[in-house]
Amino acid sequence: MADIRYPLSFNQITAKTQWTLRQAIEGCARHGVTGIAPWRDKLAECGVKPAAKLIRDAGLKVSGLCRGGMFPAADAAGRKAAIEDNLRALEEAVGIDAQCLVLVCGGLPAGSKDIAGARRMVRDGIAAILPHAKAAGMPLAIEPLHPMYAADRNCINSMAQANDLCDELGEGVGIAVDVYHLWWEPGLKAEIERAARTDPKRILAFHICDWLMDTKDRLLDRGMMGDGVIDLPLIRGWVEDAGYEGFAEVEIISSRWWDVDPDEVVRLCVERHRTVC
Amino acid sequence: MADIRYPLSFNQITAKTQWTLRQAIEGCARHGVTGIAPWRDKLAECGVKPAAKLIRDAGLKVSGLCRGGMFPAADAAGRKAAIEDNLRALEEAVGIDAQCLVLVCGGLPAGSKDIAGARRMVRDGIAAILPHAKAAGMPLAIEPLHPMYAADRNCINSMAQANDLCDELGEGVGIAVDVYHLWWEPGLKAEIERAARTDPKRILAFHICDWLMDTKDRLLDRGMMGDGVIDLPLIRGWVEDAGYEGFAEVEIISSRWWDVDPDEVVRLCVERHRTVC
C-alpha cells in the first residue's frame, strides 16, 4: 500500500444549506481544499460559465458533477426526458471541466415492483448517453448506492453490480466508489481489484464520510470521517492499490452538519482527512 | 412454479406491543393462522413449558424461535457469554418444538471497525453451537439482514454471503429468507437456486412483509404485504422452486402497526397473504 493521501475535494452537499456554489468555492480556497464537487441545482443558480471561471480562478479542480442518472420511468416519454436531462448534465460537466459526471442511476418507476426491469432501464439509459459522453470526453461514473436506496434512488447497489454493468457497457463508463454505500459489501476488496484490471482503470471517484453506528435517518445522517465504523484507511488502501489517482471527495449528507458553521465543517474535514482517512 | 400458497405463520413482533405470547397464540387460533414465531423475551414471560402447552393446545406449529445469534463481542468473555446464551436459546427452541432457531448473527463489537473480523466471530460462534444444535435436532437458520443493519445488528447481509457461510459450516445450518432484507439483491434468484442444490435443502424459513417506497425509519417502518415495492409472488415462486415446504411467516416490525388493534393486524395479514403474496 503506497504511503499517499489523496488531495481533498469538497462535495457541496456537505454544506448544502449554508453555502451557494460561489461561497463553497471561496470556502474551499480559504481552507486549502483543492477540489470541489458541485450539485446541478447550485450550479444552475450560479450559471455554468460564471461557475467555471470562479472555480478556475480559485485554482480548484472539479472531482465530479452531481449528478446525472435517474433513468427508470413509468413510460417511454419519461425515459426520454431523463436521457435529455442527462445530456444537459453532460454539457454542464464539460462546461466546468469536471473529471466525471456522477450517475445516481434511479430506483423503481412509480407503481413498479420490477427491480430487474428498472436495472435494465438504467443500462439502456446509460447506453443511450454513452456515445455523447465519449464524444465530449466526459467519463460517466456509476455510483452504486447503499441497498437501502434501491427502491427510491438507485437500483445499482454494490460494487459487484457496478462492475458487471461496466463490463456490459464498455469503455467510457466507470465507478464512483463511496465508502458509505459499499463498506458492508463482503466482496468489496476483490471487486475493487477487478475494477483495477480494466483498461482504462475503472474507478473514477472516491467518496468519503462515515457510517454512524446508531444511524438515525436513512438519508440525512451520514457521519464525519472518524465518527463512525468504516475502516477508511483500509478501503483507501484498496483504492490506492487499484491505481486510483484522483481526489478523496468528502460527501457528508447530514442535517446535523447543515446546522454547523460551514467554515468549521470544512476545517474539520481537512483535519479528519489528515488524521483518520 | 407450483400453484401453492404456504400456510401463514405469525411472527409475534408484528404485534409486539399489543399482545403477550398467550394472547398472540389465541389471536392466531381465532384467525385460522396455523403457525407462530415467538420471541424469546415473550417466551420467557410466559415460561417455556406453559407456552409449549398453549401452542400445542391451539394446534399451532412454531415456524421458528427468534432469536439466537449476536456472536461478535469485544473480548473472549463476551463471546463466551454469547455462546452460552445461544445454548439457552437452543433449549428453548427445543422446548417449544420450533422448526428452527433463527440467528440474527450480530454486528460490530463496541469500538470495532473490523467487519471482516466480526464475520469471523459469527462463523466461529455458529461453529461452537452447531454440535449442540445437531445433537438436539434443532436446525440453525442464519437470517441475512439488510446491509443497513451491518454495523449494529448483523454483518451477514446477503443470500450469497449466507450461502457461503453455510458451505463453510456444513450440515445443520440453513437460511431464513426474509424478503425485506434480500429483495434488492441482484443475484437473489441464483442464490436461492444454490440453496436448493444442497442436501438437505438449505432454506429453513421464509419471512414476508414489504419495503415501503418512502421508508421513514431504519428499524420500525416495515410495510404490510402489498403496501410496498417487493414483488412477493416472484420471490415466493423462487422459494417454491427451491423446494421449500414450510410457512410464510409474516414479520412486520413497524411502530405504525403496533398502534393498530392486533386482531385487525392479523385479519389483514391473512387477507393480504391470500391476495398479494
Side-chain angles (χ1 to χ4, degrees):
Chain A
M1 187 165 103
D3 185 23
I4 65 157
R5 292 270 155 79
Y6 295 118
L8 193 62
S9 176
F10 187 73
N11 187 302
Q12 197 184 356
I13 205 164
T14 307
K16 176 185 177 177
T17 61
Q18 303 104 308
W19 273 344
T20 63
L21 180 52
R22 174 190 288 269
Q23 289 172 313
I25 292 165
E26 292 168 355
C28 286
R30 221 164 28 243
H31 292 272
V33 173
T34 56
I36 192 163
W39 280 64
R40 290 181 67 202
D41 55 338
K42 301 280 189 177
L43 181 60
E45 276 172 18
C46 183
V48 175
K49 280 195 181 170
K53 181 166 174 9
L54 286 167
I55 291 166
R56 207 168 44 236
D57 290 351
L60 303 183
K61 291 194 184 304
V62 176
S63 56
L65 175 64
C66 291
R67 63 189 187 190
M70 297 292 163
F71 296 105
D75 57 25
R79 291 190 291 278
K80 184 160 174 283
I83 287 167
E84 286 164 0
D85 186 57
N86 274 274
L87 296 180
R88 285 190 293 275
L90 266 176
E91 279 179 27
E92 294 161 21
V94 169
I96 57 171
D97 199 19
Q99 295 181 349
C100 61
L101 174 63
V102 173
L103 301 181
V104 172
C105 297
L108 293 165
S112 169
K113 302 189 185 202
D114 181 9
I115 193 164
R119 286 165 171 163
R120 286 191 295 271
M121 289 181 192
V122 167
R123 179 200 60 198
D124 295 346
I126 298 175
I129 65 166
L130 184 52
H132 303 272
K134 286 162 94 167
M138 180 54 58
L140 300 174
I142 295 169
E143 181 168 358
L145 251 57
H146 195 285
M148 68 186 171
Y149 305 122
D152 53 352
R153 280 184 172 73
N154 189 354
C155 56
I156 309 300
N157 305 109
S158 69
M159 188 73 188
Q161 199 188 357
N163 266 323
D164 288 348
L165 193 51
C166 286
D167 282 350
E168 199 172 348
L169 288 162
E171 205 177 322
V173 185
I175 301 173
V177 171
D178 187 317
V179 297
Y180 188 76
H181 300 302
L182 301 174
W183 74 278
W184 62 272
E185 189 175 345
L188 183 58
K189 180 171 187 280
E191 290 294 334
I192 288 175
E193 288 167 355
R194 177 179 164 199
R197 288 195 298 271
T198 61
D199 181 23
K201 284 169 184 160
R202 196 169 266 174
I203 298 176
L204 301 176
F206 177 51
H207 296 182
I208 56 174
C209 68
D210 215 331
W211 180 281
L212 300 176
M213 176 61 93
D214 185 22
T215 296
K216 301 285 188 198
D217 189 278
R218 195 169 60 93
L219 186 60
L220 303 181
D221 197 21
R222 298 196 196 184
M224 174 65 65
M225 295 80 75
D227 289 349
V229 300
I230 301 177
D231 189 337
L232 292 162
L234 181 73
I235 300 178
R236 173 179 59 83
W238 295 342
V239 171
E240 282 182 13
D241 290 344
Y244 174 71
E245 292 182 324
F247 285 90
E249 178 184 315
V250 56
E251 183 182 33
I252 305 171
I253 303 179
S254 165
S255 54
R256 182 184 320 207
W257 289 104
W258 290 343
D259 282 339
V260 174
D261 171 4
D263 271 289
E264 170 57 16
V265 175
V266 178
R267 190 200 63 72
L268 195 58
C269 288
V270 170
E271 180 184 308
R272 294 292 178 85
H273 180 239
R274 286 205 187 109
T275 54
V276 303
C277 296
Chain B
M1 185 165 101
D3 185 23
I4 65 158
R5 294 269 154 81
Y6 296 119
L8 194 62
S9 176
F10 187 72
N11 186 301
Q12 196 184 356
I13 205 165
T14 307
K16 175 185 178 177
T17 61
Q18 303 104 309
W19 273 344
T20 63
L21 180 53
R22 175 190 287 269
Q23 288 172 315
I25 292 164
E26 293 167 355
C28 285
R30 225 167 19 247
H31 292 273
V33 172
T34 55
I36 191 163
W39 280 64
R40 290 181 67 201
D41 55 337
K42 301 278 189 178
L43 182 58
E45 276 171 18
C46 184
V48 174
K49 279 195 180 170
K53 181 167 177 4
L54 285 168
I55 291 167
R56 204 168 44 237
D57 290 351
L60 302 183
K61 291 194 184 305
V62 177
S63 55
L65 175 63
C66 291
R67 63 189 187 187
M70 299 293 165
F71 296 105
D75 56 25
R79 292 190 289 278
K80 184 161 174 283
I83 287 167
E84 285 164 2
D85 186 58
N86 274 275
L87 296 181
R88 286 189 293 275
L90 267 175
E91 279 180 28
E92 295 161 22
V94 170
I96 57 171
D97 198 19
Q99 296 182 349
C100 60
L101 174 62
V102 173
L103 301 181
V104 173
C105 297
L108 294 165
S112 169
K113 301 190 183 199
D114 181 10
I115 193 165
R119 286 165 172 162
R120 286 190 295 271
M121 290 179 191
V122 167
R123 178 201 59 198
D124 294 346
I126 299 175
I129 65 167
L130 183 52
H132 303 272
K134 285 161 95 166
M138 180 54 58
L140 299 174
I142 295 169
E143 181 168 358
L145 251 57
H146 195 284
M148 68 185 172
Y149 305 122
D152 53 351
R153 282 186 170 71
N154 189 353
C155 57
I156 309 301
N157 305 109
S158 69
M159 188 72 187
Q161 198 188 357
N163 267 322
D164 287 348
L165 192 51
C166 287
D167 281 351
E168 200 172 347
L169 288 162
E171 204 176 321
V173 185
I175 301 172
V177 172
D178 186 317
V179 297
Y180 188 77
H181 300 303
L182 301 174
W183 74 277
W184 63 273
E185 189 176 345
L188 183 57
K189 179 171 188 279
E191 291 293 335
I192 288 175
E193 288 167 355
R194 179 180 162 197
R197 287 194 297 272
T198 61
D199 181 24
K201 285 169 184 164
R202 196 170 267 174
I203 298 176
L204 300 177
F206 178 50
H207 296 181
I208 56 174
C209 69
D210 215 332
W211 179 280
L212 301 176
M213 176 62 93
D214 185 22
T215 297
K216 301 284 189 199
D217 189 278
R218 193 167 61 91
L219 186 60
L220 304 180
D221 197 21
R222 298 196 195 183
M224 174 66 66
M225 295 80 75
D227 289 349
V229 300
I230 301 177
D231 189 336
L232 292 162
L234 180 74
I235 300 177
R236 174 179 58 83
W238 296 342
V239 171
E240 282 182 13
D241 290 344
Y244 173 71
E245 291 182 328
F247 286 90
E249 176 184 316
V250 57
E251 183 182 31
I252 305 172
I253 303 179
S254 165
S255 54
R256 183 184 319 208
W257 289 103
W258 292 341
D259 282 340
V260 174
D261 171 3
D263 271 290
E264 170 58 15
V265 175
V266 178
R267 191 201 62 72
L268 195 58
C269 288
V270 171
E271 180 185 309
R272 294 292 178 86
H273 180 240
R274 286 205 187 108
T275 55
V276 303
C277 296

